[in-house]
Amino acid sequence: MKEFKCDILIIGSGLTGLVSAYALSLLGFKIIIAEQKKAKKNQKLLKDIRTTAIAEGSKNFLDQIGLWKKISKFSEKIKYIEVIDREKTNKINFFNSTKNNNLGYVVKNLKLTKVINQALIKKNNVILNYDSKLLTVEYLPDKIIGIFENKKIISKILLAADGKNSTVRQKLNTPVFNKKYKEDAFVMNFFHTQKHNNTAYEFFYKNGPLAILPMQSENINFQSSIIWSNDKKYLSSLVVQNDKIIKEILEEKIGGAVGKIKKINSKQIFSLSSHINDKFYEKRVLYIGDSAHSIHPIAGQGWNLGLRDIKNLYNLAKETNMLGISIGSKQFCIDYNEKCYYDAFQLYQITDKLNLVFKNNSLLLNQLRPFGFNLIEKNSFLKKQITEFAMGFN
């Protein structure tokens, strides 16, 4: 069996694993990324039709580590957000009053993955191993060993970046709390007749929220993405309809926010669930991004929460490096958990409860909603707090 040594072993080559590797490579660590899919099959990941909403706070970190300049050319700015609850009169308008700052940015997952992969190729201290299925984990006094089918990799620390259904979490039996939602998410990219004016929309309906995210134009065609949470059976029946019927249904829902739907470019359904680990570490193991937590997409903060994990890890590793302390110690893992866990747990609870509140169609809540929306719309302090939360500054 072949044996390899490194400072950091990352399991999973999704966006979280790739950004983690790039950030930590800047600190001089030797890194191996292990991906269980074969190289050719892994290219299917590049067909992901979804978009990623990057908050201003996340953008600042990506800029700090030198990735944002590469990403920005493929991004569309979010300057305004309109939140509408059932009736158009129940509306809140959010914007960022700080000069040269936006509320966020929207990038196609396909473009984001390509950019980060291209940046990693230039890093001599990062190796990406495909066809590497993790079998088990073993320990030495000051090391951790990942055992694969035809090799073992010895490192100081293992980063689990292998998604919601983390193999690492299953191997180590880390306790996790799961919640499955009755809804699925319908994701659709489309061309439309009117400019989106860098505005994102969030419509709240009794069956689930519908968001419109502005995307970059293509061939002078205005483009946006829809993410609609709704009943599983309803969405299954919707996605098989011809495009004309889908256009009619969605145009009625979005009320002319971006004009008429000209062309549906892609459509897909994703199941909705959320989870949070009992803790974000084991012995010489850290969970990052979706392997640690996943949240309801109602606030569009899922990937940004994972990026905050990476930022915390990067800063902690940088500090440890400067002090000459070995990465992966028990205290290192505990410090990471303390920096990340409360933030994730808080957002997990907020998004879950928001979804419940906005779906609730009780007479009392229907009467209170206009009052609540009007209060927030007219209260500059409350709007500022919510805006900074959405930007990833809280």
Coordinates of all heavy atoms in Angstrom, one line a residue, residues 174-217:
T174 N -20.1 10.6 14.7 CA -20.3 11.9 15.3 C -21.8 12.1 15.3 O -22.5 12.1 14.3 CB -19.7 13.0 14.5 OG1 -18.2 12.8 14.4 CG2 -19.9 14.4 15.2
P175 N -22.4 12.4 16.5 CA -23.9 12.6 16.6 C -24.3 13.8 15.7 O -23.6 14.8 15.6 CB -24.1 12.9 18.0 CG -22.9 12.3 18.7 CD -21.8 12.5 17.8
V176 N -25.5 13.7 15.1 CA -26.0 14.8 14.3 C -27.5 14.8 14.4 O -28.2 13.8 14.6 CB -25.6 14.5 12.8 CG1 -26.2 13.2 12.3 CG2 -26.1 15.6 11.9
F177 N -28.1 16.1 14.4 CA -29.5 16.3 14.4 C -30.0 16.6 13.0 O -29.5 17.6 12.4 CB -29.9 17.4 15.3 CG -31.4 17.7 15.3 CD1 -32.3 16.8 16.0 CD2 -31.9 18.7 14.6 CE1 -33.6 17.1 16.0 CE2 -33.3 19.0 14.6 CZ -34.1 18.1 15.3
N178 N -30.9 15.8 12.4 CA -31.4 16.0 11.0 C -32.8 16.5 11.0 O -33.6 16.1 11.9 CB -31.3 14.7 10.2 CG -29.9 14.3 9.9 OD1 -29.2 15.0 9.2 ND2 -29.4 13.2 10.6
K179 N -33.1 17.3 10.1 CA -34.5 17.7 9.9 C -34.8 17.6 8.4 O -34.2 18.3 7.6 CB -34.8 19.1 10.4 CG -36.3 19.5 10.2 CD -36.7 20.7 11.0 CE -38.2 20.9 10.9 NZ -38.6 22.1 11.7
K180 N -35.8 16.9 8.0 CA -36.2 16.8 6.6 C -37.5 17.6 6.4 O -38.4 17.5 7.2 CB -36.5 15.4 6.1 CG -35.2 14.5 6.0 CD -35.5 13.1 5.5 CE -34.2 12.3 5.3 NZ -34.5 11.0 4.7
Y181 N -37.5 18.5 5.4 CA -38.7 19.3 5.1 C -39.6 18.7 4.2 O -39.2 17.8 3.4 CB -38.2 20.7 4.6 CG -37.4 21.5 5.6 CD1 -36.0 21.5 5.5 CD2 -38.1 22.2 6.6 CE1 -35.3 22.3 6.4 CE2 -37.3 22.9 7.5 CZ -36.0 23.0 7.4 OH -35.2 23.7 8.4
K182 N -40.9 19.0 4.3 CA -41.9 18.5 3.4 C -41.8 19.0 2.0 O -42.4 18.5 1.1 CB -43.3 18.7 4.0 CG -43.5 18.0 5.3 CD -44.9 18.3 5.8 CE -45.2 17.7 7.2 NZ -46.5 18.0 7.7
E183 N -41.0 20.1 1.8 CA -40.9 20.8 0.5 C -39.6 20.3 -0.2 O -38.7 19.9 0.5 CB -40.9 22.3 0.7 CG -42.0 22.9 1.5 CD -41.7 22.9 3.0 OE1 -40.5 23.1 3.4 OE2 -42.7 22.7 3.8
D184 N -39.6 20.5 -1.5 CA -38.4 20.5 -2.3 C -38.1 21.9 -2.8 O -38.9 22.8 -2.6 CB -38.6 19.5 -3.5 CG -38.4 18.0 -3.1 OD1 -37.9 17.8 -2.0 OD2 -38.9 17.2 -3.9
A185 N -37.0 22.0 -3.4 CA -36.6 23.3 -4.1 C -36.6 23.2 -5.6 O -35.9 22.3 -6.1 CB -35.3 23.8 -3.5
F186 N -37.3 24.0 -6.3 CA -37.3 24.0 -7.7 C -36.4 25.2 -8.1 O -36.5 26.3 -7.7 CB -38.7 24.3 -8.2 CG -38.8 24.5 -9.7 CD1 -38.7 23.5 -10.6 CD2 -39.0 25.8 -10.3 CE1 -38.8 23.6 -12.0 CE2 -39.2 26.0 -11.6 CZ -39.0 24.9 -12.5
V187 N -35.3 24.8 -8.9 CA -34.3 25.8 -9.3 C -34.4 25.9 -10.8 O -34.3 25.0 -11.5 CB -32.9 25.3 -8.9 CG1 -31.8 26.3 -9.3 CG2 -32.8 25.2 -7.3
M188 N -34.5 27.2 -11.2 CA -34.6 27.5 -12.7 C -33.8 28.7 -13.1 O -33.9 29.8 -12.4 CB -36.1 27.6 -13.0 CG -36.4 27.9 -14.5 SD -38.2 28.1 -14.8 CE -38.2 29.9 -14.8
N189 N -33.0 28.6 -14.1 CA -32.3 29.8 -14.7 C -33.1 30.1 -16.0 O -33.4 29.3 -16.8 CB -30.9 29.4 -15.0 CG -30.1 29.1 -13.8 OD1 -30.4 29.5 -12.7 ND2 -28.9 28.4 -14.0
F190 N -33.3 31.4 -16.2 CA -34.1 31.9 -17.3 C -33.8 33.3 -17.8 O -33.2 34.1 -17.1 CB -35.6 31.8 -16.9 CG -36.0 32.8 -15.8 CD1 -36.6 34.0 -16.1 CD2 -35.7 32.6 -14.4 CE1 -37.0 34.9 -15.1 CE2 -36.0 33.5 -13.4 CZ -36.6 34.7 -13.8
F191 N -34.1 33.5 -19.1 CA -34.0 34.8 -19.7 C -35.3 35.5 -19.5 O -36.4 34.9 -19.5 CB -33.7 34.7 -21.1 CG -32.3 34.2 -21.4 CD1 -32.1 33.5 -22.6 CD2 -31.2 34.5 -20.6 CE1 -30.8 33.0 -22.9 CE2 -29.9 34.0 -20.9 CZ -29.7 33.2 -22.1
H192 N -35.3 36.9 -19.3 CA -36.5 37.6 -19.1 C -36.4 39.0 -19.9 O -35.4 39.4 -20.4 CB -36.8 37.9 -17.7 CG -35.6 38.3 -16.8 ND1 -35.1 39.6 -16.8 CD2 -34.7 37.5 -16.1 CE1 -34.1 39.6 -16.0 NE2 -33.8 38.4 -15.6
T193 N -37.6 39.6 -20.0 CA -37.7 40.8 -20.9 C -37.2 42.1 -20.3 O -36.9 43.1 -21.0 CB -39.1 40.9 -21.4 OG1 -40.0 41.1 -20.2 CG2 -39.6 39.7 -22.2
Q194 N -37.2 42.2 -19.0 CA -36.8 43.5 -18.3 C -35.5 43.3 -17.5 O -35.2 42.3 -17.1 CB -37.9 44.0 -17.4 CG -39.2 44.4 -18.1 CD -40.3 44.8 -17.1 OE1 -40.0 45.0 -15.9 NE2 -41.5 44.9 -17.6
K195 N -34.8 44.4 -17.4 CA -33.6 44.4 -16.6 C -33.9 44.1 -15.1 O -35.0 44.6 -14.6 CB -32.9 45.8 -16.6 CG -32.3 46.2 -18.0 CD -31.6 47.5 -17.9 CE -30.9 47.9 -19.2 NZ -30.2 49.2 -19.1
H196 N -33.1 43.4 -14.5 CA -33.3 43.1 -13.1 C -32.8 44.2 -12.2 O -33.1 44.2 -11.0 CB -32.7 41.8 -12.6 CG -31.3 41.6 -13.0 ND1 -30.2 42.5 -12.6 CD2 -30.6 40.6 -13.7 CE1 -29.1 42.0 -13.1 NE2 -29.3 40.9 -13.8
N197 N -32.0 45.1 -12.7 CA -31.5 46.3 -12.0 C -30.8 45.9 -10.7 O -30.9 46.6 -9.7 CB -32.7 47.3 -11.6 CG -33.3 47.9 -12.9 OD1 -32.5 48.3 -13.8 ND2 -34.6 47.9 -13.0
N198 N -30.1 44.7 -10.8 CA -29.3 44.2 -9.6 C -30.2 44.1 -8.4 O -29.7 44.3 -7.2 CB -28.1 45.2 -9.3 CG -27.2 45.2 -10.5 OD1 -27.2 46.2 -11.2 ND2 -26.4 44.2 -10.7
T199 N -31.4 43.7 -8.6 CA -32.4 43.5 -7.5 C -32.7 42.0 -7.3 O -33.0 41.3 -8.2 CB -33.7 44.3 -7.7 OG1 -33.4 45.7 -7.9 CG2 -34.6 44.1 -6.5
A200 N -32.6 41.6 -6.0 CA -33.0 40.2 -5.7 C -34.4 40.3 -5.0 O -34.7 41.3 -4.3 CB -32.1 39.6 -4.7
Y201 N -35.3 39.3 -5.2 CA -36.6 39.4 -4.7 C -36.8 38.1 -3.8 O -36.3 37.0 -4.2 CB -37.7 39.4 -5.8 CG -37.6 40.6 -6.7 CD1 -36.8 40.6 -7.8 CD2 -38.4 41.7 -6.5 CE1 -36.7 41.7 -8.7 CE2 -38.4 42.8 -7.3 CZ -37.5 42.8 -8.4 OH -37.4 43.9 -9.2
E202 N -37.6 38.3 -2.8 CA -38.0 37.1 -2.0 C -39.5 37.3 -1.7 O -40.0 38.2 -1.0 CB -37.3 37.1 -0.6 CG -37.6 35.9 0.2 CD -36.6 34.8 0.1 OE1 -35.4 35.1 -0.3 OE2 -37.0 33.6 0.3
F203 N -40.3 36.4 -2.4 CA -41.7 36.3 -2.2 C -42.1 35.2 -1.2 O -41.6 34.1 -1.4 CB -42.4 36.0 -3.5 CG -42.2 37.1 -4.6 CD1 -41.1 36.9 -5.5 CD2 -43.0 38.1 -4.8 CE1 -40.8 37.9 -6.5 CE2 -42.8 39.1 -5.8 CZ -41.7 38.9 -6.6
F204 N -42.9 35.6 -0.2 CA -43.3 34.6 0.8 C -44.7 34.2 0.5 O -45.6 35.0 0.6 CB -43.1 35.1 2.2 CG -41.7 35.2 2.6 CD1 -41.0 36.4 2.7 CD2 -40.9 34.1 2.9 CE1 -39.7 36.5 3.0 CE2 -39.6 34.1 3.3 CZ -39.0 35.4 3.4
Y205 N -44.9 32.9 0.2 CA -46.2 32.3 0.0 C -46.5 31.2 1.0 O -45.6 30.7 1.7 CB -46.4 31.7 -1.4 CG -46.2 32.8 -2.5 CD1 -45.1 32.8 -3.4 CD2 -47.2 33.7 -2.7 CE1 -44.9 33.7 -4.4 CE2 -47.1 34.7 -3.8 CZ -45.9 34.6 -4.6 OH -45.8 35.6 -5.5
K206 N -47.8 30.9 1.2 CA -48.1 29.9 2.3 C -47.5 28.5 2.0 O -47.3 27.8 3.0 CB -49.6 29.8 2.4 CG -50.3 29.2 1.2 CD -51.8 29.2 1.5 CE -52.6 28.6 0.3 NZ -54.0 28.5 0.5
N207 N -47.1 28.2 0.8 CA -46.5 26.9 0.4 C -45.0 27.0 0.5 O -44.4 25.9 0.3 CB -47.0 26.4 -0.9 CG -48.5 26.1 -0.9 OD1 -49.0 25.6 0.1 ND2 -49.2 26.3 -2.0
G208 N -44.4 28.2 0.6 CA -43.0 28.3 0.7 C -42.5 29.5 0.0 O -43.2 30.1 -0.9
P209 N -41.2 29.9 0.3 CA -40.7 31.1 -0.3 C -40.2 30.9 -1.8 O -39.8 29.8 -2.1 CB -39.5 31.4 0.6 CG -39.0 30.1 1.1 CD -40.3 29.3 1.3
L210 N -40.3 32.0 -2.5 CA -39.8 32.0 -3.9 C -38.8 33.2 -4.0 O -39.2 34.3 -3.8 CB -40.9 32.1 -4.9 CG -40.6 32.1 -6.4 CD1 -41.8 31.6 -7.2 CD2 -40.0 33.4 -7.0
A211 N -37.6 32.9 -4.4 CA -36.5 33.9 -4.5 C -36.1 34.1 -6.0 O -36.1 33.1 -6.7 CB -35.3 33.6 -3.7
I212 N -35.8 35.3 -6.4 CA -35.3 35.6 -7.7 C -33.9 36.2 -7.5 O -33.8 37.2 -6.7 CB -36.1 36.6 -8.5 CG1 -37.6 36.0 -8.6 CG2 -35.5 36.8 -9.9 CD1 -38.5 37.0 -9.4
L213 N -32.9 35.6 -8.0 CA -31.5 36.2 -7.9 C -31.0 36.7 -9.2 O -31.2 36.0 -10.3 CB -30.6 35.1 -7.4 CG -30.9 34.5 -6.0 CD1 -29.8 33.4 -5.7 CD2 -30.8 35.6 -5.0
P214 N -30.5 37.9 -9.3 CA -30.0 38.5 -10.5 C -28.7 37.8 -11.0 O -27.8 37.5 -10.2 CB -29.7 39.9 -10.2 CG -29.4 39.9 -8.7 CD -30.3 38.8 -8.1
M215 N -28.7 37.5 -12.3 CA -27.5 36.8 -12.9 C -26.9 37.7 -14.0 O -27.6 38.6 -14.5 CB -27.8 35.4 -13.4 CG -28.3 34.4 -12.4 SD -28.9 32.9 -13.1 CE -27.4 32.3 -13.9
Q216 N -25.7 37.4 -14.4 CA -25.1 38.1 -15.5 C -25.9 37.9 -16.8 O -26.4 36.7 -17.0 CB -23.6 37.7 -15.7 CG -22.7 38.3 -14.7 CD -21.2 38.0 -15.1 OE1 -20.9 37.0 -15.8 NE2 -20.3 38.9 -14.7
S217 N -26.0 38.9 -17.6 CA -26.7 38.7 -18.9 C -25.8 37.8 -19.8 O -24.6 37.8 -19.7 CB -26.8 40.1 -19.6 OG -27.7 40.9 -18.8

